[in-house]
Amino acid sequence: FGVPFVRAVCLTMPSIFSYESAEVDWCESNFVRSAVIAEYYNTISNVSFFLLSPALLYLNREYCQKKAVPLYFVSGLLLLVGAFSMYFHMTLSYVGQLLDELSILWTLAVAYSFWYPQAYFPKCIKTRRHFFWLTGITTVISTLMSFVKPTLNAYALNCIAFHLLYMTRKELKKCNDKRVHRMAAVMVMWWALAITSWISDRWLCWLWQAINFPYFHSFWHVLIALSLLYCCPLVIYFDVTYEMPSFKPKLEYWPSDSWPVVVPYVTLEEPHKQC
Ligand SMILES: CCCCCCCC/C=C\CCCCCCCC(=O)N[C@@H](CO)[C@H](O)/C=C/CCCCCCCCCCCCC
Ligand SMILES: [Ca+2]
Ligand SMILES: [Zn+2]
């Protein structure tokens, strides 16, 4: 066994970067619309994340001026999620799948470390710095575990949405602002449509292929981005309430209240300001 043998093995071994080396393949048929993009609509629908990030930063700019790091970090990571997801659907490679899933995991971890309300910290955690460490260690362990059975990663990630739903319910019980309740209801509606699309693409592919409409995963990309467009202002609203007591958060709608379809954002009022 010399160098030529090792080279021969490496050349014939399927590469983790090669097309269709991932453990999952979504319902959309591969290489139908392009010779280089495996799943065309699943790839281009990730544009939603490139629109979501600047929209969040622009609309919630008053919050960003007072507390820049969390939203800059999360928006940047959402761009990365969009880019890795594009790469994954373009190649359906093993590396693409892991980059897609791990970028989601780390975005959630960063969002939780910055925004998880202190009132819900486990009893042994006293400060946000400690919570950072807890999330960091948990995320590193989850990252290592994600190599064991990559097919299960997406299911585990989707379960986190149920924790977010539970927290939203708890917070809404303490909140009388009708706008906040309305925004949460719209977020849940988009998320319910998103997860229904994700599950139907996974489980009912035979049906969608039979009727020649295998596009539900691309709907998922758009719908989950829409639910995040509502989720982030909601989380910011509670962050201002709990962690920035010198300001009062106010929900506004873009372009204006009277439009039938609106995007929520948070502005800050200084309640103790004397004129
Ligand atoms: C105090 C906590 C604040 C939380 C803020 C939320 C931050 C959200 C961070 C990341 C979510 C990005 C999800 C985009 C996924 C796009 C890529 C994709 O489609 N990947 C698939 C393969 O292509 C993969 O199968 C999908 C895996 C599942 C991901 C599930 C993510 C859960 C996101 C929770 C969103 C909550 C919205 C409202 C909840 C009621
Ligand atoms: Ca496919
Ligand atoms: Zn996807």
Side-chain angles (χ1 to χ4, degrees):
F1 305 108
V3 175
F5 175 78
V6 175
R7 271 190 60 193
V9 169
C10 288
L11 285 173
T12 48
M13 210 170 57
S15 158
I16 52 172
F17 289 96
S18 61
Y19 273 90
E20 297 181 313
S21 56
E23 272 190 1
V24 284
D25 188 341
W26 301 89
C27 195
E28 184 182 348
S29 309
N30 302 348
F31 304 109
V32 169
R33 301 218 85 211
S34 159
V36 282
I37 301 176
E39 294 176 336
Y40 186 80
Y41 291 108
N42 286 350
T43 303
I44 58 166
S45 52
N46 283 295
V47 165
S48 337
F49 295 98
F50 295 102
L51 300 175
L52 169 70
S53 288
L56 287 174
L57 284 173
Y58 173 73
L59 292 173
N60 300 286
R61 59 191 177 277
E62 278 190 24
Y63 171 77
C64 272
Q65 279 158 8
K66 301 285 180 268
K67 199 173 175 182
V69 179
L71 196 56
Y72 272 107
F73 248 98
V74 172
S75 310
L77 284 164
L78 283 171
L79 284 179
L80 210 63
V81 167
F84 285 149
S85 180
M86 266 187 159
Y87 171 68
F88 170 45
H89 289 292
M90 185 181 156
T91 60
L92 289 177
S93 66
Y94 178 82
V95 169
Q97 183 186 342
L98 279 167
L99 286 176
D100 173 290
E101 290 162 353
L102 291 178
S103 60
I104 301 170
L105 173 69
W106 281 89
T107 310
L108 281 164
V110 167
Y112 265 67
S113 336
F114 284 128
W115 287 327
Y116 194 68
Q118 296 225 18
Y120 300 118
F121 283 0
K123 286 225 162 55
C124 54
I125 301 292
K126 296 281 178 267
T127 62
R128 189 158 292 276
R129 179 184 277 269
H130 288 159
F131 188 70
F132 261 105
W133 277 103
L134 177 70
T135 347
I137 293 166
T138 315
T139 313
V140 169
I141 296 172
S142 313
T143 302
L144 297 175
M145 280 169 55
S146 65
F147 291 88
V148 178
K149 192 81 190 108
T151 327
L152 297 183
N153 296 347
Y155 288 93
L157 287 167
N158 268 316
C159 289
I160 296 172
F162 289 96
H163 181 244
L164 281 171
L165 281 178
Y166 165 76
M167 298 249 308
T168 308
R169 214 175 92 102
K170 270 185 113 171
E171 281 306 313
L172 289 182
K173 280 187 183 161
K174 295 188 258 170
C175 174
N176 300 320
D177 190 333
K178 278 212 173 77
R179 287 181 161 233
V180 178
H181 282 257
R182 186 178 137 189
M183 180 166 73
V186 179
M187 171 191 84
V188 174
M189 177 199 79
W190 288 127
W191 172 78
L193 290 172
I195 193 72
T196 310
S197 304
W198 190 90
I199 291 175
S200 32
D201 191 277
R202 277 289 52 190
W203 297 352
L204 300 176
C205 184
W206 55 272
L207 178 63
W208 310 131
Q209 278 185 339
I211 60 167
N212 211 6
F213 195 79
Y215 303 117
F216 282 91
H217 190 77
S218 57
F219 293 163
W220 147 266
H221 287 153
V222 178
L223 292 164
I224 197 72
L226 277 170
S227 72
L228 289 171
L229 198 57
Y230 286 74
C231 177
C232 289
L234 192 64
V235 172
I236 290 172
Y237 182 93
F238 290 121
D239 185 55
V240 177
T241 309
Y242 292 126
E243 307 234 343
M244 298 166 76
S246 51
F247 295 99
K248 193 175 178 309
K250 189 165 180 249
L251 271 189
E252 310 262 10
Y253 295 118
W254 181 90
S256 93
D257 278 27
S258 53
W259 282 53
V261 181
V262 288
V263 179
Y265 64 95
V266 175
T267 57
L268 307 182
E269 283 180 345
E270 291 181 61
H272 308 304
K273 213 175 179 178
Q274 303 289 323
C275 37

